[in-house]
Amino acid sequence: LRDNRIELVRASWHELSISVSDVSLSDEGQYTCSLFTMPVKTSKAFLTVLGVPEKPQITGFTSPVMEGERMQLTCKTSGSKPAADIRWFKNDKEVKDVKYLKEEDAVRKTFTVSSTLDFLADRSDDGAVVSCRVDHESLNSTPQIAMQVLEIHYTPLVKIISSNSWPEEGQSIILTCESKGKPVPEPVLWTKDGGELPDPERMVVNGRVLSISFLNKTDNGTYRCEAKNPIGRNSTEYVLIVHDVFNTLLPTTVIPSLTTATVTTNVALTASTTTSATATSIRDPNALAGQTGPDHALIGGIVAVVVFVTLCSIILLGRYLARHKGTYLTNEAKGAEDAPDADTAIINAEGSQVNAEEKKEYFI
């Protein structure tokens, strides 16, 4: 071995050691050590030299990229032996769907490895960090990494936020138009029902904020916020409905109105009925909240009283008719009790009317 990079380290009858500095791929091969005895003894060893991959580079990116365009990023490294492994990451999350290509250099017996990442540009990728990592056994678990920050341009994304979810007459409302895009959108444009704002004194626009004071029914309508940038424009709408103050108070007065109805019922009834009305004012726990209806217990009591009075009247009338009917039959039968025949009974009955005042009978 005659090379300035080879140095004799130790020489004795028992050991012969050499060192090779600045190892290159040409140093790979079979090394033989001989002991000149009779016969000559030899020992052989094969030296394998690893090719260290070069630092990877990412190509194919042109800034900026419009949303929806197809992007093809290629990561390439050379000089690896054996072939290196390439992996793609987006914001530290590995991307699996990639293309891998390996080419061998016939002269140096090394490999050139490339990998391509193909995807559609999306606004969510703006500012994302795409990295290409090369792993190889010669790197001692310290991979080589190349990075690229993506810049995606996209049309504005518009959203309206209201400060009052239930606007009433006389109140104020603030509508904020949030617009996000790249490049940054220009100042937004506010319109109402397809035209300009009708009342600039009450409807004040400050940047992306629309303030409306002293709301009334004429403010009802569709408000549109439009934002644009060099890529395009976008808009969104908000339907404003101004509510009456009276309508908003109804839900809060349901329970007091029920209490008032109960008190009025107590006053209208007699002393004997008040107790039952008060007792029936205890609400059924199974009843639905907020529902109103007739007092069924009160109606039942009134019906019972009417039925009772009707029955008493029928009984009194029956007794009266029974008394008068008995008196008539008794008077007609006087004088006929002792008659031998029918003719005599009739004559006695007619004659008895003369002394009617003397023969009157009374039922007690």
Side-chain angles (χ1 to χ4, degrees), residues 143-160:
Q144 294 181 348
I145 300 176
M147 294 185 298
Q148 177 66 59
V149 180
L150 302 182
E151 182 181 2
I152 312 297
H153 284 192
Y154 54 92
T155 56
L157 180 64
V158 186
K159 179 181 178 182
I160 295 179

Side-chain angles (χ1 to χ4, degrees), residues 287-320:
L288 296 178
Q291 290 187 348
T292 59
D295 193 338
H296 298 286
L298 177 61
I299 294 175
I302 295 175
V303 172
V305 171
V306 172
V307 172
F308 177 78
V309 172
T310 303
L311 292 176
C312 292
S313 299
I314 292 173
I315 294 173
L316 292 177
L317 181 60
R319 290 177 61 86
Y320 175 79

Side-chain angles (χ1 to χ4, degrees), residues 131-152:
S131 58
C132 164
R133 191 173 81 177
V134 176
D135 295 317
H136 194 264
E137 53 187 305
S138 65
L139 299 177
N140 297 325
S141 301
T142 305
Q144 294 181 348
I145 300 176
M147 294 185 298
Q148 177 66 59
V149 180
L150 302 182
E151 182 181 2
I152 312 297

